[in-house]
């Protein structure tokens, strides 16, 4: 391109960005700087800018002009936008963005009805856990637990807090060596190993192939009194009832609460307990379009506690306890996000910049949401009574 043509394009983009500035000025609640590929900088909002967004091409410019959360996330993942500054501050930009994608929301609600819960669950799990096991292990701790830890202080090690949560689950359910426990969504063997080394017989259910491979290898290497089955919880049956059921961060993948509670009654011995934990929203299915499309596709829904407890009241299950873990999940996701950033070079080298950027947005996004009480988190203890009625 000739110099005169380049100058013409620069002037044109300068006019476009200044027009965008004027149009969105009243909507920008958090001031930030936009830096164009030619080095020119523009202030959006009023006050000292908290971060810098770099526009690298026309797609990035288009995303900024729309102030659409999903479009900006997609432009960042593709490299059309760059971000400089603390990611926790960048999340404040979401307060100025729109995120209205009704067709996507409608599909999430309809899909389980159209293809069934079991098929919907498999599709959703495959969409999130399709990457190498090693990728997830880059940002988790030794416990490999993909749900909230249980912190006693903000400066506590994540591993210590995760061990406390695991011991809490075992104690809350009164699980003893020799007991049979159903672990729903085995993940990377947090409960399988933690309980197995105590002599507890764990049956771990998973519908993620990578998880099944990892668990099979773990059980063999550690010689654990456990087994793994590639079966959906809602379709699982057994002739021998379990002493307890444990669900670590998987209730988000089981939004049909009535069906879940019926399974508890079918699979638990009288007097047996359920431990479950997970993130929660006040409104079911109310999560950002970026998360619905790129992180947890399909019928995923954070726990809606009042809806869940309503179904508990209609079931034979007794509610024993509910604990609010919002701050603990904030600390957990913050440590995950920091671990991810610390391993950036390795992750980009092995799995590419797009995956790194996707999970960087996700982990800092949920950290910010927990910090600002946009998301909740709970531990719940249930018990099947010794006798019905």
């Amino acid at each position: 391109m000739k110099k005169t043509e380049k100058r013409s394009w620069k002037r044109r983009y300068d006019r476009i960005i200044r027009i965008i500035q004027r149009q969105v000025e009243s909507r920008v609640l958090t001031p930030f700087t936009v830096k164009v590929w030619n080095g020119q900088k523009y202030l959006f909002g009023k006050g000292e800018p908290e971060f810098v967004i770099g526009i690298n091409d026309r797609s990035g410019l288009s995303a900024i002009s729309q102030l659409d959360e999903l479009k900006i996330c997609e432009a960042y993942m593709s490299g059309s936008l760059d971000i400089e500054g603390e990611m926790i501050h960048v999340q404040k930009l979401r307060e100025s963005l729109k995120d209205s994608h009704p067709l996507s929301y409608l599909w999430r609600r309809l899909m389980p009805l159209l293809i069934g819960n079991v098929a919907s669950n498999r599709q959703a799990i495959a969409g999130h856990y399709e990457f190498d096991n090693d990728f997830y292990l880059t940002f988790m701790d030794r416990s490999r637990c993909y749900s909230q830890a249980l912190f006693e202080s903000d400066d506590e090690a994540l591993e210590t807090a995760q061990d406390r949560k695991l011991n809490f689950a075992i104690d809350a359910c009164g699980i003893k060596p020799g007991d049979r426990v159903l672990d729903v969504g085995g993940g990377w063997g947090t409960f399988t190993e933690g309980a197995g080394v105590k002599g507890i017989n764990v049956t771990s259910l998973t519908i993620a192939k990578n998880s099944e491979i990892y668990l099979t290898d773990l059980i063999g290497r550690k010689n654990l009194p456990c087994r793994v089955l590639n079966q959906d919880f809602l379709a699982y049956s057994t002739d021998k009832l379990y002493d307890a059921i444990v669900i670590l961060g998987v209730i988000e993948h089981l939004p049909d609460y009535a069906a879940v509670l019926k399974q508890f009654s079918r699979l638990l011995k009288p007097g047996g307990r359920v431990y479950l934990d997970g993130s929660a929203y006040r409104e079911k299915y109310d999560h950002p379009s970026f998360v619905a499309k790129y992180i947890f596709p399909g019928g995923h829904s954070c726990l809606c506690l009042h809806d869940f407890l309503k179904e508990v009241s209609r079931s034979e299950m007794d509610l024993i306890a509910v604990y609010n873990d919002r701050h603990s999940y904030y600390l957990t996701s913050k440590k995950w996000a920091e671990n991810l950033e610390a391993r950036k070079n390795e992750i980009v080298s092995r799995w590419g910049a797009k995956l790194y950027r996707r999970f960087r947005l996700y982990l800092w996004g949920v950290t910010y949401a927990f910090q600002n009480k946009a998301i909740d988190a709970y531990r719940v203890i249930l018990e099947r009574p010794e006798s019905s009625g």
Side-chain angles (χ1 to χ4, degrees):
M1 184 181 292
K2 296 179 181 179
K3 290 184 179 180
T4 54
E5 292 177 333
K6 287 183 178 179
R7 285 196 295 268
S8 175
W9 274 109
K10 288 180 181 179
R11 288 195 297 270
R12 183 177 303 176
Y13 284 126
D14 181 76
R15 288 197 300 271
I16 292 172
I17 294 173
R18 293 191 186 281
I19 290 171
I20 296 170
Q21 272 183 306
R22 292 193 295 270
Q23 289 178 337
V24 305
E25 184 176 6
S26 62
R27 293 168 52 192
V28 176
L29 304 178
T30 302
F32 62 96
T33 296
V34 167
K35 183 171 68 175
V36 190
W37 52 88
N38 64 4
Q40 181 70 30
K41 295 181 179 180
Y42 304 84
L43 176 64
F44 278 59
K46 297 178 180 180
E48 188 69 22
E50 297 194 18
F51 53 89
V52 177
I53 294 180
I55 298 178
N56 298 324
D57 54 33
R58 298 181 195 179
S59 296
L61 180 63
S62 174
I64 288 294
S65 69
Q66 297 177 64
L67 281 187
D68 182 289
E69 183 174 326
L70 179 59
K71 298 294 184 184
I72 288 175
C73 289
E74 289 175 333
Y76 173 69
M77 287 191 296
S78 69
S80 293
L81 294 176
D82 284 324
I83 295 173
E84 301 172 18
E86 296 289 335
M87 282 296 288
I88 194 70
H89 297 315
V90 176
Q91 298 303 319
K92 298 177 184 178
L93 179 61
R94 297 169 63 183
E95 299 168 9
S96 308
L97 304 178
K98 61 183 180 181
D99 186 30
S100 178
H101 300 275
L103 292 180
S104 174
Y105 175 82
L106 182 62
W107 173 243
R108 294 199 305 272
R109 299 297 303 274
L110 289 177
M111 189 174 71
L113 300 175
L114 295 174
I115 67 175
N117 284 323
V118 174
S120 175
N121 287 345
R122 283 196 176 273
Q123 184 173 327
I125 292 296
H128 185 72
Y129 298 97
E130 62 183 337
F131 312 110
D132 290 347
N133 290 321
D134 285 351
F135 166 70
Y136 295 94
L137 301 182
T138 60
F139 61 83
M140 288 189 283
D141 67 293
R142 181 194 57 80
S143 74
R144 308 179 303 278
C145 186
Y146 201 27
S147 66
Q148 74 263 35
L150 183 55
F151 285 86
E152 288 189 347
S153 64
D154 287 13
D155 58 355
E156 193 169 47
L158 177 58
E159 182 177 321
T160 301
Q162 290 288 19
D163 286 344
R164 180 179 297 108
K165 196 270 288 284
L166 177 63
N167 290 328
F168 176 90
I170 292 173
D171 293 342
C173 291
I175 302 169
K176 310 177 299 298
D179 281 353
R180 297 179 67 254
V181 181
L182 183 65
D183 176 24
V184 180
W188 296 276
T190 299
F191 189 82
T192 301
E193 181 177 6
V197 297
K198 298 177 185 290
I200 298 165
N201 300 302
V202 181
T203 296
S204 201
L205 299 183
T206 182
I207 53 176
K209 188 62 180 177
N210 285 346
S211 172
E212 180 187 9
I213 293 170
Y214 190 94
L215 285 164
T216 301
D217 178 70
L218 175 70
I219 292 169
R221 282 189 293 105
K222 300 284 186 175
N223 194 29
L224 302 173
C226 308
R227 61 174 180 161
V228 57
L229 301 175
N230 192 321
Q231 292 191 32
D232 190 284
F233 171 65
L234 295 180
Y236 178 64
S237 62
T238 181
D239 294 329
K240 191 174 181 181
L241 300 180
Y242 288 94
D243 297 290
I245 297 175
V246 172
I247 305 178
L248 304 180
V250 180
I251 191 63
E252 296 95 330
H253 301 295
L254 298 168
D256 188 344
Y257 301 145
V260 168
L261 287 156
K262 286 179 181 177
Q263 277 293 80
F264 291 163
S265 292
R266 293 189 189 106
L267 300 174
L268 265 180
K269 290 180 179 178
R273 287 192 172 186
V274 175
Y275 169 90
L276 66 89
D277 63 39
S279 52
Y281 274 123
R282 300 293 179 92
E283 296 291 334
K284 206 170 183 181
Y285 301 101
D286 184 23
H287 46 271
S289 298
F290 163 73
V291 173
K293 185 173 182 179
Y294 291 102
I295 304 299
F296 292 111
H300 172 90
S301 168
C302 287
L303 175 66
C304 183
L305 185 64
H306 52 273
D307 282 356
F308 181 77
L309 295 181
K310 185 186 297 182
E311 292 300 333
V312 171
S313 71
R314 294 170 176 169
S315 74
E316 71 163 345
M317 301 296 294
D318 285 337
L319 176 66
I320 303 301
V322 178
Y323 302 86
N324 189 317
D325 282 349
R326 184 197 296 126
H327 188 66
S328 276
Y329 218 148
Y330 157 71
L331 294 173
T332 303
S333 57
K334 182 174 182 288
K335 289 180 183 293
W336 286 344
E338 291 169 346
N339 291 343
L340 183 88
E341 291 198 340
R343 304 285 291 274
K344 174 185 176 180
N345 292 339
E346 176 189 349
I347 292 171
V348 171
S349 173
R350 295 183 64 181
W351 297 287
K354 188 171 185 178
L355 183 60
Y356 168 76
R357 290 184 173 216
R358 182 192 301 193
F359 272 77
R360 189 183 186 211
L361 288 170
Y362 166 56
L363 293 177
W364 281 115
V366 294
T367 299
Y368 179 77
F370 282 122
Q371 184 184 54
N372 289 274
K373 302 181 180 180
I375 308 180
D376 295 306
Y378 297 102
R379 280 170 288 148
V380 179
I381 313 297
L382 304 173
E383 181 176 283
R384 185 184 179 196
E386 291 286 354
S387 60
S388 300

